[in-house]
Amino acid sequence: MWLYLAALVGLYYLLRWYRERQVVSNLRDKYVFITGCDSGFGNLLARQLDLRGLRVLAACLTEKGAEQLRDQTSDRLETVILDVTKTESISAATEWVKERVGDGGLWGLVNNAGISIPSAPNEWLTKQDFMKILDVNLLGLIEVTLSLLPLVRKARGRVVNISSIMGRVSLLGGSYCISKYGVEAFSDSLRRELSYFGVKVAVIEPGFFNTGVTNSEKISRAIQEAWDQASPEVKGIYGEKFLASVKKSVKKLKSTCCNNLYLVTNCVEHALTACHPRTRYSSGWDAKLFYLPMSYMPTLLVDAMIYWMSQRPIKAL
């Protein structure tokens, strides 16, 4: 019986491997719009897809980032300045994309732009701190998607949203995890709605990678600023020892992050170019072997694991 079961499992993975190797035709004629191309995943992806021959439309937050990207790529790649928190900037970028893609529409939209600070225990933060991340990671992503959706639908193309394993397991306070849970939910509903029109939606769930989002110095500074603005009552409850423990954990972050960003960009490339893309891609061994299995564990067990790894507030019961 076990032999038959192993054979069935082997056959399933063989068929999946075969399906996933099938590539979309005429890639050199297809346009892909990517947000957040100044650095990190977006920058590498833009260069990678340009080498693959796709028509890359790269959105950068700064002119400096756009200029550096153009210097590293072919003349086929074009850049535009985009602030995903501003409606007028999104509208201008949408018109710019329309002029370039013409009647063929937009084959791929990659929502990559994101930030991770301020992140700290929830009680240390204000509503404005929460909104700062949500405006970029979730609300900006939604507005960009809704603005460009008619062009993607025209091409029967792809929407690829960069989420995080933090959209599966909430490991820290602040709105980073909240925003990524929101990206997961938005992507699920969008995938079902757009399936009627031949549009596919994929979610990328990276683990910890060495990018600007995981910059330990910036995160540590943001934690200190959140602590400084917290009320005397909150400071008394948590204590300086708790603050020191949190900052110590952040300092260790760089050594635990993966430097191979291709593990993420290869997943995005597959989602854009494969005839049969996956619904979700987990990038990085920490995501596959630890955080993803953790997301399926009983809540009681997950809480116990996080308690074990965390410093207790000074006035914890």
Side-chain angles (χ1 to χ4, degrees):
M1 177 181 173
W2 292 110
L3 187 60
Y4 290 124
L5 184 60
L8 283 173
V9 171
L11 181 61
Y12 165 76
Y13 280 104
L14 182 63
L15 289 173
R16 191 176 82 160
W17 173 81
Y18 174 74
R19 276 171 55 86
E20 290 186 349
R21 280 178 58 85
Q22 298 177 44
V23 178
V24 173
S25 60
N26 302 318
L27 286 176
R28 295 185 66 85
D29 299 326
K30 298 189 184 301
Y31 285 85
V32 177
F33 183 76
I34 310 167
T35 66
C37 291
D38 296 78
S39 61
F41 299 139
N43 185 277
L44 178 60
L45 179 65
R47 291 185 278 121
Q48 184 173 333
L49 295 183
D50 180 53
L51 284 173
R52 184 74 187 267
L54 281 84
R55 304 296 299 265
V56 178
L57 305 175
C60 298
L61 181 62
T62 65
E63 183 55 48
K64 180 182 178 181
E67 184 178 348
Q68 289 176 345
L69 180 59
R70 288 194 299 270
D71 290 341
Q72 297 174 310
T73 53
S74 73
D75 294 337
R76 288 165 57 88
L77 182 142
E78 298 181 73
T79 61
V80 65
I81 303 302
L82 172 64
D83 183 343
V84 299
T85 67
K86 292 182 168 56
T87 297
E88 59 273 19
S89 181
I90 294 173
S91 297
T94 300
E95 291 302 316
W96 180 83
V97 172
K98 280 182 183 177
E99 291 173 4
R100 277 145 185 82
V101 302
D103 295 333
L106 179 65
W107 172 254
L109 166 61
V110 182
N111 284 304
N112 166 74
I115 59 174
S116 61
I117 54 176
S119 292
N122 293 309
E123 259 192 310
W124 302 7
L125 300 170
T126 65
K127 179 183 176 182
Q128 287 69 34
D129 292 329
F130 281 85
M131 288 305 302
K132 184 176 180 181
I133 293 179
L134 290 173
D135 277 343
V136 177
N137 294 9
L138 181 58
L139 301 178
L141 178 149
I142 291 172
E143 189 171 3
V144 169
T145 303
L146 296 180
S147 186
L148 290 169
L149 214 47
L151 298 177
V152 178
R153 186 164 47 238
K154 184 182 290 187
R156 296 183 181 178
R158 310 285 168 84
V159 177
V160 183
N161 292 328
I162 308 297
S163 179
S164 167
I165 205 63
M166 297 283 195
R168 294 284 198 126
V169 183
S170 187
L171 297 177
L172 68 156
S175 56
Y176 184 77
C177 293
I178 296 171
S179 70
K180 295 306 182 180
Y181 270 81
V183 169
E184 298 275 344
F186 176 65
S187 300
D188 282 343
S189 60
L190 192 70
R191 183 183 68 254
R192 295 172 188 130
E193 293 168 1
L194 296 183
S195 64
Y196 296 108
F197 309 105
V199 176
K200 292 181 171 64
V201 178
V203 180
I204 314 296
E205 300 170 335
F208 285 90
F209 285 84
N210 195 10
T211 67
V213 169
T214 54
N215 185 304
S216 57
E217 292 181 4
K218 290 181 180 179
I219 296 173
S220 188
R221 267 200 310 272
I223 289 170
Q224 184 64 55
E225 290 171 5
W227 173 261
D228 292 341
Q229 74 180 8
S231 68
E233 179 186 2
V234 168
K235 290 181 180 178
I237 290 171
Y238 283 89
E240 294 281 351
K241 188 177 179 181
F242 185 91
L243 171 64
S245 175
V246 172
K247 293 176 76 173
K248 184 179 179 182
S249 298
V250 169
K251 284 183 180 178
K252 294 179 182 177
L253 188 60
K254 188 172 184 178
S255 62
T256 62
C257 288
C258 177
N259 291 314
N260 185 8
L261 304 190
Y262 282 104
L263 293 176
V264 177
T265 58
N266 287 344
C267 290
V268 181
E269 182 180 343
H270 185 270
L272 291 168
T273 61
C275 292
H276 306 285
R278 299 181 188 181
T279 301
R280 280 180 167 79
Y281 296 80
S282 294
S283 309
W285 290 113
D286 57 342
K288 295 177 187 293
L289 300 180
F290 186 69
Y291 296 112
L292 189 59
M294 190 179 183
S295 70
Y296 291 105
M297 292 179 185
T299 302
L300 188 66
L301 181 56
V302 175
D303 287 353
M305 293 169 68
I306 294 175
Y307 291 147
W308 180 73
M309 294 186 291
S310 305
Q311 171 72 34
R312 287 167 60 85
I314 193 170
K315 292 191 177 179
L317 298 177

